[in-house]
Amino acid sequence: MTQDTTADTSTRPPTPFHDLDAFLEVGRLSGLVLSGDGTRLVTAAQSLGPERTGYVSALWEVDPTGEQPARRLTRSAKGESSPAFSAGGDLLFTSARPDPEGKPDDDARAALWCLPSGGEARVVATAPGGIGGLLTASDADVVSVTAPVLPSAADLAEDGELRTARKDLSVDAIWHTGYPVRHWDHDLGPDADRRFATSVAAAEGGHAELRQLTGAGRQLDEAGAALSPDGATLVTVWTVDDPGAARRGTLVAIDTRTGERRTLVDDPDAEVASPVVSPDGRWVAYVTETVTSPTDPPVVRAAVVALDGTGEPEVLADDWDRWPTSLTWLPGSSGLLITADDDGRGPVFLLTFDAGPGTGPVTVEQVTADAATFTDVCVAPDGSAAYALRTSYAAPSEPVRVDLAAFVASGPAGEREPVPAVVLPSPVVAPELPGVLTEVETTAPDGARVRAWLALPAGASASDPAPLLLWIHGGPLGSWNAWSWRWNPWIMVARGYAVLLPDPALSTGYGQEFVRRGWGAWGDKPFTDLLAITDAAESRDDVDETRTAAMGGSFGGYMANWVAGHTDRFRAVVTHASLWALDQFGPTTDHAYYWAREMTPEMAREHSPHRYVGQIRTPMLVIHGDKDYRVPIGEGLRLWRELLADSGLPAADDGSTVHRLLYFPTENHWVLSPQHAKVWYAGVLAFLAEHVLDVPEGEGDRVLPTTLG
């Protein structure tokens, strides 16, 4: 919830996690941008809409000095997002809010808006399919955006005519000439993003004309991009087709005046992502990820290439055994701030060039001391401080300042001590937790160290131990290192559970070998790691080893299915958006070529949970959304039918069963709408209550302050 000093708190629950309606009302931050002069920070804060069926985003200003409270900048029913500062200091954003100088349009798409300091917001540019991908140049009045355009349209005007014709004739057919055809929860096409350029000044007295830089094609799907400081060059990921209906990201530079395109990086053995141009305009830093094979997991590194195309790309810190997740240039182009998963956290690291970019040796040092993960890093123009959103399982995202000057002054390179971040006044009040967060670690059978976060109820003790919920993360290349609204353990903690959040083999932040341990063999080391860390948690006197459950989503759902077929130590298993029959999943997932790179048919057959359905003797709750294209609904439907027909705990002759299916016809890989999220949590808690807390059958929802409805 946003700041409100007048709100009545007399009827509120002990914490927002004790009541699902209160949980939905907690405000959520995303994104952080800094003005060119370093005096203004802007973030987006989401709040529950008046009808409680969706979230609305507004832009808020945060004081970089930490002296003033956060100040709301925008307000509309449609919301505002994707803030960016122009070279002149104006705040740009995208929104589908009504244009005060235009005609009312209930179907309006997102437009580009400008909010001058001390002025009223006005529309800069529009496109028939909406505008996104906002980029600004730091030193020139150049703006670039993306807009989806139908393939046969030569320009935005023709695109508008074609869209009107399709709508009037109720045509939604899509003609495909390549792969893929779906992504996450939506069909690809018939339109595709193109890049455009314009300026704020061009909108004086009307809407600015968008100058088209790229043509038809799917090369810009999910493409990271950046503008050079002078605005003359757009650097963007450019997706190319590879054999086997595969795709791969390359890096190109596009002249923003002529649209001329030249290739900077095209490595047949690696993907390119997240380009950023140096402040001196000479270099592009980016993330490179090797193309995988069934025997080789990805290797993720930072790299640089000259913007003028001279010289070869150079991988940075190849001996640093961490995977970069974001890159931010220091002023003067003397180094990079890098975020990377690390031991259940995501610190900020400083990479400095010993003799300048493209010259060889570099030094990497950890900057932040917090047990937290940092995102959206931006740097003050004098390099004295960095700003970011900080998150962990102890708190959701909040704006912070990192004292880079103090870090640099603490000693010579390689000997400096990490510094704690300073929290800035936020638009969102951090929720009080219903318990405490600690860590657990153990040694796996092969000698590897395995660690986890453990969220415990405040009253858990040897005399009153808490039932244990093993919650397995998705990915599988990921880590339980950042707050999640979708997978929030504190709701379970508020009901008395101890929640174990482990990072088994394949998790990021523990080095390349830790990923390799589980590569192509999901049912091996990831499974034994999970059992080992569960044993360690159960050995605590504040945990009740006789009352346990396991759950997970996506890859975590796969592991939940695997757990169910390989042990009966848990009283209940919850599996969300889960992989069940790997031979079926592989060709039907939205990007099948990724899967084909990782597993051979033999590997998939050996590690497919469906082969062990006869060994499942644990009640299971199956959850799936029909719009899930990453793990198609067929996985959930087949799992459900085979549980009832072929498991070791089948349906009775009269059709009754201890298993349950929670189906969402309009949700995707995640359950995103607020009221469906409420149903999801309530359903999971009811199922667990019945089997773990011994609530009578069918009465699990009675332990909740709110019912399934």
Side-chain angles (χ1 to χ4, degrees):
M1 61 192 74
T2 53
Q3 293 175 334
D4 181 0
T5 58
T6 64
D8 177 15
T9 61
S10 60
T11 59
R12 289 181 179 173
T15 75
F17 306 97
H18 286 85
D19 182 271
L20 292 177
D21 286 313
F23 173 74
L24 295 178
E25 292 173 358
V26 179
R28 308 163 183 205
L29 291 189
S30 63
L32 189 70
V33 293
L34 180 68
S35 62
D37 62 5
T39 63
R40 302 181 66 193
L41 275 172
V42 171
T43 186
Q46 284 188 325
S47 58
L48 191 64
E51 295 181 353
R52 306 183 68 82
T53 57
Y55 288 93
V56 180
S57 181
L59 302 185
W60 287 70
E61 186 166 339
V62 175
D63 180 13
T65 69
E67 297 175 358
Q68 301 297 322
R71 180 172 66 96
R72 187 166 184 169
L73 300 176
T74 64
R75 188 185 303 271
S76 75
K78 294 290 188 179
E80 299 82 23
S81 60
S82 306
F85 282 100
S86 71
D90 295 328
L91 179 63
L92 306 181
F93 59 87
T94 58
S95 177
R97 63 196 290 182
D99 183 350
E101 298 180 357
K103 297 179 180 179
D105 184 359
D106 293 336
D107 297 323
R109 304 295 182 94
L112 175 63
W113 289 74
C114 174
L115 179 60
S117 180
E120 293 290 333
R122 59 186 174 86
V123 174
V124 174
T126 63
I131 282 178
L134 173 59
L135 301 171
T136 58
S138 60
D139 299 335
D141 183 16
V142 178
V143 178
S144 178
V145 296
T146 59
V149 181
L150 292 169
S152 59
D155 52 32
L156 292 176
E158 187 174 359
D159 181 59
E161 295 171 358
L162 291 171
R163 287 176 182 275
T164 299
R166 285 177 64 91
K167 181 179 179 180
D168 291 346
L169 296 172
S170 297
V171 171
D172 61 3
I174 304 172
W175 185 276
H176 285 286
T177 61
Y179 188 85
V181 299
R182 304 197 297 184
H183 181 69
W184 280 116
D185 63 349
H186 61 276
D187 296 307
L188 295 177
D191 56 13
D193 277 347
R194 301 183 193 180
R195 268 281 167 192
F196 297 82
T198 189
S199 67
V200 176
E204 294 294 340
H207 294 178
E209 180 182 354
L210 293 176
R211 186 169 63 257
Q212 185 168 296
L213 301 179
T214 61
R218 304 221 66 89
Q219 292 86 0
L220 296 180
D221 287 350
E222 306 291 314
L227 280 170
S228 61
D230 63 5
T233 307
L234 169 75
V235 177
T236 181
V237 172
W238 190 263
T239 303
V240 298
D241 293 317
D242 276 349
R247 310 194 85 202
R248 174 176 50 85
T250 66
L251 195 65
V252 303
I254 299 174
D255 189 302
T256 58
R257 293 178 296 272
T258 67
E260 180 183 355
R261 186 178 75 248
R262 52 190 172 82
T263 299
L264 297 176
V265 180
D266 185 354
D267 182 351
D269 298 319
E271 299 253 27
V272 172
S274 307
V276 285
V277 183
S278 62
D280 63 10
R282 297 178 56 203
W283 302 93
V284 181
Y286 60 95
V287 174
T288 176
E289 178 178 332
T290 59
V291 174
T292 61
S293 74
T295 57
D296 295 306
V299 177
V300 183
R301 294 290 184 262
V304 294
V305 64
L307 182 57
D308 64 8
T310 61
E312 294 296 319
E314 178 187 349
V315 172
L316 304 174
D318 197 24
D319 58 348
W320 183 47
D321 199 12
R322 290 296 181 265
W323 290 2
T325 53
S326 74
L327 310 173
T328 305
W329 282 98
L330 292 178
S333 309
S334 59
L336 293 160
L337 293 181
I338 300 178
T339 57
D341 292 351
D342 181 65
D343 205 48
R345 297 144 173 88
V348 176
F349 296 87
L350 172 62
L351 182 151
T352 51
F353 302 101
D354 291 1
T359 59
V362 299
T363 301
V364 180
E365 305 169 88
Q366 183 173 328
V367 175
T368 54
D370 313 61
T373 292
F374 293 79
T375 66
D376 302 278
V377 177
C378 40
V379 186
D382 62 358
S384 63
Y387 303 93
L389 295 182
R390 184 185 68 179
T391 179
S392 69
Y393 271 99
S397 291
E398 54 191 353
V400 297
R401 181 179 66 250
V402 179
D403 194 335
L404 291 180
F407 171 75
V408 172
S410 68
E415 300 179 16
R416 297 162 177 154
E417 291 295 324
V419 296
V422 177
V423 179
L424 300 174
S426 173
V428 170
V429 177
E432 180 185 352
L433 301 181
V436 295
L437 188 68
T438 186
E439 294 185 78
V440 177
E441 66 176 66
T442 191
T443 301
D446 66 349
R449 170 179 171 267
V450 181
R451 63 157 300 285
W453 294 108
L454 179 64
L456 286 161
S461 64
S463 60
D464 187 18
L468 181 68
L469 176 59
L470 167 66
W471 203 333
I472 311 165
H473 73 63
L477 302 177
S479 170
W480 284 124
N481 65 2
W483 186 275
S484 172
W485 298 104
R486 184 54 237 128
W487 317 112
N488 198 286
W490 296 109
I491 290 178
M492 282 64 183
V493 172
R495 273 72 178 179
Y497 295 94
V499 182
L500 184 66
L501 305 168
D503 281 350
L506 289 172
S507 297
T508 54
Y510 303 90
Q512 194 72 23
E513 182 53 36
F514 199 77
V515 174
R516 186 179 295 278
R517 291 174 63 238
W519 190 254
W522 288 8
D524 291 342
K525 296 296 191 299
F527 174 65
T528 54
D529 284 0
L530 290 171
L531 295 191
I533 197 68
T534 301
D535 290 340
E538 290 179 353
S539 70
R540 297 171 57 101
D541 60 8
D542 52 5
V543 170
D544 185 352
E545 75 280 2
T546 68
R547 295 185 296 160
T548 63
M551 65 183 291
S554 194
F555 167 77
Y558 161 91
M559 286 307 312
N561 294 339
W562 189 265
V563 164
H566 287 79
T567 178
D568 57 3
R569 66 184 290 172
F570 298 101
R571 288 191 177 192
V573 171
V574 179
T575 180
H576 169 92
S578 65
L579 291 72
W580 175 242
L582 298 189
D583 59 338
Q584 170 181 275
F585 163 79
T588 58
T589 183
D590 55 353
H591 295 275
Y593 56 89
Y594 281 112
W595 179 256
R597 291 170 179 169
E598 178 169 349
M599 281 201 182
T600 64
E602 293 75 20
M603 289 176 174
R605 183 165 53 251
E606 181 179 353
H607 296 280
S608 187
H610 83 284
R611 297 178 58 229
Y612 304 93
V613 63
Q615 299 178 32
I616 294 178
R617 296 176 176 82
T618 303
M620 294 188 70
L621 168 60
V622 180
I623 310 175
H624 222 112
D626 197 74
K627 299 301 182 183
D628 186 350
Y629 297 158
R630 181 56 46 95
V631 182
I633 185 60
E635 297 297 298
L637 295 178
R638 181 171 173 180
L639 167 57
W640 178 242
R641 189 265 173 189
E642 292 181 358
L643 266 181
L644 302 187
D646 304 322
S647 74
L649 197 61
D653 290 345
D654 63 359
S656 60
T657 177
V658 295
H659 306 300
R660 295 290 183 267
L661 171 66
L662 180 55
Y663 169 67
F664 293 95
T666 59
E667 292 288 353
N668 59 25
H669 197 58
W670 300 289
V671 178
L672 298 178
S673 68
Q675 296 306 316
H676 282 162
K678 179 179 172 181
V679 170
W680 189 96
Y681 280 114
V684 169
L685 288 168
F687 185 76
L688 294 177
E690 180 178 324
H691 296 287
V692 180
L693 304 182
D694 298 318
V695 172
E697 180 180 356
E699 298 182 9
D701 60 332
R702 294 187 181 181
V703 304
L704 305 174
T706 180
T707 69
L708 286 170

